[in-house]
Amino acid sequence: MKRIWAPAVLTAGLLVGLPSPAHADNVLANAGFESGSLSGWTCAGGSVVSTPVRTGSYALAGGVSTGSTGQCTQTVNVQPNTAYSLSAWVRGSYVYMGVTGGTQTWTPSASDYTKLSLSFTTGADQKTVEIFLHGWYGNSAYYADDVLLDGPGGEPQPGVPGAPDGPKVGTVTDDSIALSWEPASGTVTGYRVYEGSALRATVTGTSATLTGLDACTTHRYTVAAYNDVGESAKSAQVSGRTSGCTDIGLPKHALIGYLHASFANGSGYVRMADVPDAWDIIDLAFGEPTSPTSGDVRFDRCPVSECKNVESDEEFIAAIRDKQAQGKKVLISIGGQDGQVQLTTTAARDTFVRSVSAIIDKYGLDGLDVDFEGHSLYLNSGDTDFRNPTTPVIVNLISALKTLKAKYGSKFVLTMAPETFFVQVGHQFYGGAGGGDGRTGAYLPVIDAMRDDLTVLHVQDYNSGPVMGLDGQYHNMGGAEFHIAMTDMVRAGFTVANTGHTFPGLRPDQIAIGLPAAVSAGNGYTPPAQVQQAVNCLVKGTGCGSYTLRGGTSPGFRGLMTWSINWDNYYKWEFMDSHEPFLNGLP
C-alpha cells in the first residue's frame, strides 16, 4: 500500500499550447440511425436496417455498387480551433470514415462491428465540418452504427429549437427511470431521449419513463428537441440508477481494514481469530502474481519462519467462517506496493480469473479487493475517453472483474483501493491525453465500468502529493480538509483533464475514506478528531470550514478504511477504538 509520488503540479507546464478542449457531446443528428430513417444524413443509396445492429434497433446499410461507394455524409456546425474526436462502429469490407478535406481511417475487413476512431482540430475560422462514411466500389454493403462526433456544437441552424434544460430523474423502480426537463425554446415538434448515441424514447411532452431496464443499473441520458428543420443540441447529461440492488449485509457505516496475511513486518502478525469484531470488511493482503504480466495470482500465507504465531490453514479457514457467521466480509486483496499486475493479453486475463477464483474458492471468501499500484495500470497515448478505454491492461482488467462478478453473483463484494494519483489527479491530468505520466487517472475507466457492481471505493488519502480539488485549490494530506475535498470529488464527479469528458460521481454508500492507522503505517496520518471532522462535514454538512461541498451531504457515506489492522493492533487499537463508536453513532 505504501507509495509516494511526485506532486502532479510539476507536470502542469507540459500542457501549455493544446487547442481548446472539446466538451463531451455528440454533435451529429441521428447518430445511431435510431429514427428508423436516414434523417440527418445525405446518402448515395443505402438504407436503415434492423439487422445487423450493434446497439439499439437500427443501423446504416451503405448502398455500395459497381459505380458507387455508397457514401453517407453529414455536415454539422462546429467551433473554430477546437479539438474533436470522431468514431463509428463499422462492419464489412473496405469501410472508410473521415472528415471531408481532412483525415480519414479505414478497415479492409471487419466480419463483426469494429470501431474506427480519429481526432482532428478545426481551423481558426472553421464553423462547419462534413464527416463521411463509405465502402468501396464493387464490394458488398457496409454497415455502420453508433457514430460519434465528440465535441461542442457551433451556432445552431436557423429554425432549430434550443436545447432542453434542467433534465431531472424522478421516480425509479427496479426496471424503470422517469425523466423530466424544461421546455426547449423555439418551435418544437417533440423530444428525443438518448443514452449515449442510442435513441431510447421519442415523446411530444417534457417527460418520459424509460422501461425494461435491469435492476440495480446506472443509466445516463440526454434530451434533444426536434422539429422539421432539425434537432437541437443535447441537454446536459443526467444519470439515474434503478432500484432492486441486493443487500450484501454491510452495516450502513462500516470499518474496513487490511490484514497482513502473507508477510510479516514491524507491526507483527495478527491471527484471523484475533481480529476484533469491530471490523466489518477484512482485506487479506496480498495476492500477488508470479510475474507482472502472467495474470497468475497466488496467495501464500505467511510462513512460520517469518510469523511465529501463524495459524494452520484449517484454523485460518475456520476463523474466516466465524467472521462470516457474524456478518463480516473477508476479501482477497490483489496487488499492493510490490504486486504489479499487468493484464496485457487476453491469456493473462483468463489466467487472472482462474487463479483468483481458485483463491476465493479455497478459502470461501466473499469477494475481491483491487489494490493495483505502481505500474499495474496505465493509459496508452490517445486513450482519452474513460468511458470507452482501449489500453489492454485496462480493458482486460474490466473484463476479468465482470467475469468474476457474473460467476459469483449479486452478493460478490468488490472493493478498490487506488491512490489519489490514479483517481482525483485525473481531474487535472489524464494519462492517455498526454502531457504527463500515463498512469494519472488510470483507475477511472475501471471504476466507471464497474460502478454498478462496485461495493466500496476507498481511495488511499495518504502517501499523496498535493491534489487540486473541485474548488480549484491544491489540498495537502494529513488534515480534515484533504479528506473532505478528495471525497467530495468522488461523490460529485469531475471533469477529466482536457478530454472533454466528465466522470460521474458515485453513490454515498459506495464511498469510504482510506487512512493510515498510525504514524508508522504511511505518510499522511490524520488524528482521529480531524478524521471525524471530515466525516461530519461529508455526512451532516457541519465542520466544513471554508470548503463548500459540490456533491452535497452524504448520509449514506459508507465508512473508513485503514492500512492496517496489524498497525492498529501495534498502536493499541487507536483507530478502531476511536472510529467504530463514532461510525455507529452517525445517522
Side-chain angles (χ1 to χ4, degrees), residues 119-390:
S119 298
F120 65 94
T121 300
T122 53
D125 299 316
Q126 187 173 0
K127 294 184 178 180
T128 64
V129 67
E130 180 183 78
I131 68 102
F132 65 79
L133 294 160
H134 67 72
W136 200 247
Y137 303 100
N139 283 279
S140 57
Y142 69 92
Y143 300 92
D145 203 354
D146 299 329
V147 191
L148 173 65
L149 179 57
D150 197 355
E155 293 297 322
Q157 183 179 354
V160 173
D165 195 16
K168 298 178 181 178
V169 172
T171 303
V172 299
T173 69
D174 289 1
D175 63 357
S176 68
I177 296 175
L179 302 177
S180 62
W181 53 89
E182 298 298 323
S185 60
T187 301
V188 177
T189 301
Y191 298 90
R192 295 174 180 138
V193 179
Y194 291 91
E195 186 169 9
S197 61
L199 180 66
R200 297 303 189 206
T202 301
V203 296
T204 56
T206 56
S207 64
T209 298
L210 292 307
T211 60
L213 309 177
D214 291 335
C216 197
T217 54
T218 300
H219 301 268
R220 303 168 193 161
Y221 299 108
T222 54
V223 184
Y226 71 92
N227 59 21
D228 292 340
V229 179
E231 183 177 272
S232 75
K234 290 185 175 67
S235 70
Q237 187 180 85
V238 64
S239 64
R241 183 183 177 91
T242 53
S243 54
C245 300
T246 301
D247 182 1
I248 63 169
L250 283 177
K252 183 176 181 180
H253 307 295
L255 199 66
I256 304 165
Y258 285 79
L259 183 68
H260 308 177
S262 64
F263 61 93
N265 66 7
S267 64
Y269 184 81
V270 177
R271 293 162 61 99
M272 175 63 72
D274 296 332
V275 175
D277 295 341
W279 300 95
D280 299 300
I281 296 180
I282 302 166
D283 293 316
L284 303 178
F286 287 107
E288 299 180 1
T290 55
S291 70
T293 58
S294 69
D296 187 9
V297 177
R298 306 294 174 89
F299 175 54
D300 299 319
R301 298 189 54 238
C302 191
V304 176
S305 59
E306 294 182 52
C307 303
K308 303 299 183 184
N309 60 327
V310 66
E311 67 270 62
S312 66
D313 271 0
E314 291 75 15
E315 292 170 321
F316 186 67
I317 292 171
I320 291 173
R321 296 295 173 272
D322 287 343
K323 297 297 180 188
Q324 293 169 327
Q326 300 171 47
K328 313 303 180 183
K329 308 299 179 184
V330 184
L331 316 181
I332 180 64
S333 181
I334 307 297
Q337 177 181 335
D338 299 324
Q340 303 296 295
V341 185
Q342 297 176 341
L343 304 182
T344 55
T345 65
T346 55
R349 174 201 65 192
D350 295 343
T351 301
F352 180 86
V353 170
R354 287 193 300 269
S355 58
V356 171
S357 297
I359 296 168
I360 292 171
D361 294 344
K362 177 178 179 179
Y363 295 99
L365 304 178
D366 297 289
L368 168 67
D369 173 68
V370 181
D371 186 17
F372 285 18
E373 301 184 18
H375 291 270
S376 293
L377 294 183
Y378 54 84
L379 294 154
N380 289 338
S381 178
D383 188 354
T384 60
D385 185 353
F386 73 87
R387 304 164 304 176
N388 297 288
T390 57

Side-chain angles (χ1 to χ4, degrees), residues 453-485:
D453 299 313
L454 179 63
T455 310
V456 188
L457 174 75
H458 32 65
V459 176
Q460 299 176 37
D461 281 4
Y462 52 96
N463 297 336
S464 171
V467 183
M468 180 180 285
L470 297 178
D471 57 356
Q473 303 299 312
Y474 281 97
H475 299 274
N476 296 286
M477 63 181 180
E481 186 182 84
F482 187 73
H483 304 303
I484 294 168

